[in-house]
Amino acid sequence: MELQSAHPGVTVGLEGALACGLAHATSDIDIRLVGDEQLLPKPGSWLTSGVRIDLQVSTTQQINELRGLLRCFKVRTDDLAHFRRIRKDLPKLTGLRTAKRLQAGQWIPIADSSEATIYRAWAVADRAEMAASLTEDLIGLIEDGLHASADLVLDRLMLTLTSAECAAAGLPLLGEKWLPLIATRAWATERPAAPRHDTAWEWFRPVQQRLTRALLSCHPVTDSDDHGTPYLAHADGLGWLPQRYSDGWFLQRADDRVPLTDSALLAWAKHLESTAA
């Protein structure tokens, strides 16, 4: 309220974990002022009673350009440079997704429901890309016998899958320290036991299942009851993970990418369920 009084014509917004109702005793307070460039103060940080206040500023034009990314989920496999730009701006999109402006003494969400839905699709897609990259590293480390390093990558993969599930549930991508508080799965059972000894890599089935479910929650596929659709045996097993772009579904392992129809995707998902049972 002091900032609002000191800078008339500027919108005061609270963003990040605190705006989502998450905080510990000395949590940072992330505040963003939005308005015309000539009305905005300089960004800065200070301490109040041992709590760090981080003040960021954005022009109205910058925020409008950022909101333009939340108009639609559109990224094709032949334009992944666009996806890289979106992923680079994802922390800014998360700030916008979590932001609440002070209005008449109340905190009002800035992003509307449709923007939150598009953010959800981008966030899950980002986690899917991260999971694919970590899986590629994990395979190489285990095959080379670098098990200590593989354990570290495996922990990172489990965190990425959990954050993908949180994003699929409509939650923003906050810092990993908040995952135990917001994750819906049993936190203590997230990590597979000694996958290095599982030469068949059966432990990888739940990884594939969890990511598939997260993506399907954002991009539902209607079951056509086409039970004759094969499950793509040549894209079965170690390393293959689903990806969803504007031009459809794919299975990806490293640089290999196999396009899927909706029916083929469902057949593959059902095959995962049967083999993991």
Side-chain angles (χ1 to χ4, degrees):
M1 293 179 72
E2 291 176 2
L3 287 168
Q4 198 169 49
S5 299
H7 306 285
V10 169
T11 299
V12 178
L14 181 68
E15 60 185 37
L18 186 58
C20 296
L22 297 172
H24 53 74
T26 58
S27 286
D28 293 351
I29 298 176
D30 297 312
I31 296 176
R32 184 173 301 275
L33 303 188
V34 180
D36 295 336
E37 187 172 4
Q38 64 272 19
L39 299 177
L40 293 171
K42 291 182 179 180
S45 300
W46 63 90
L47 292 176
T48 298
S49 300
V51 175
R52 180 186 175 95
I53 312 294
D54 286 322
L55 176 65
Q56 301 294 327
V57 299
S58 297
T59 66
T60 302
Q61 180 180 351
Q62 288 172 332
I63 294 298
N64 288 340
E65 290 173 356
L66 198 60
R67 295 187 84 157
L69 300 178
L70 297 181
R71 293 196 185 107
C72 66
F73 176 81
K74 188 175 182 181
V75 54
R76 297 178 58 86
T77 53
D78 58 2
D79 187 17
L80 294 184
H82 173 64
F83 192 18
R84 284 193 291 270
R85 291 193 296 271
I86 298 290
R87 294 186 70 197
K88 183 178 179 181
D89 283 337
L90 199 55
K92 296 179 182 178
L93 289 177
T94 299
L96 181 60
R97 165 64 180 83
T98 60
K100 295 181 179 179
R101 67 178 182 273
L102 186 60
Q103 182 176 315
Q106 307 227 342
W107 293 103
I108 310 298
I110 290 179
D112 60 32
S113 59
S114 62
E115 291 171 330
T117 297
I118 300 301
Y119 170 85
R120 175 173 167 243
W122 285 120
V124 174
D126 171 81
R127 299 291 84 189
E129 289 292 324
M130 179 63 72
S133 177
L134 290 170
T135 295
E136 186 177 352
D137 287 340
L138 185 61
I139 291 172
L141 290 168
I142 290 181
E143 289 181 344
D144 286 347
L146 303 175
H147 297 306
S149 296
D151 286 344
L152 293 175
V153 175
L154 179 59
D155 286 339
R156 179 62 53 188
L157 177 59
M158 293 302 105
L159 287 171
T160 299
L161 287 172
T162 301
S163 62
E165 291 168 332
C166 290
L171 299 169
L173 292 178
L174 301 172
E176 290 173 351
K177 66 184 177 184
W178 303 114
L179 285 177
L181 298 179
I182 64 178
T184 56
R185 294 171 58 89
W187 183 254
T189 61
E190 290 297 324
R191 193 182 192 281
R196 70 183 69 171
H197 302 303
D198 183 1
T199 57
W201 285 70
E202 288 303 318
W203 68 270
F204 193 68
R205 291 297 193 202
V207 174
Q208 295 169 312
Q209 288 176 301
R210 292 172 63 185
L211 189 59
T212 301
R213 290 169 187 156
L215 286 165
L216 279 171
S217 72
C218 298
H219 310 281
V221 173
T222 302
D223 191 344
S224 63
D225 294 326
D226 184 4
H227 299 295
T229 302
Y231 68 84
L232 291 177
H234 64 286
D236 185 28
L238 174 61
W240 289 100
L241 288 173
Q243 307 287 324
R244 174 56 163 80
Y245 301 98
S246 302
D247 45 348
W249 288 92
F250 297 83
L251 288 180
Q252 180 177 340
R253 183 175 65 180
D255 293 333
D256 296 326
R257 185 176 288 121
V258 178
L260 297 177
T261 64
D262 287 357
S263 295
L265 182 278
L266 288 179
W268 187 74
K270 290 177 181 177
H271 173 69
L272 292 180
E273 297 286 346
S274 64
T275 54

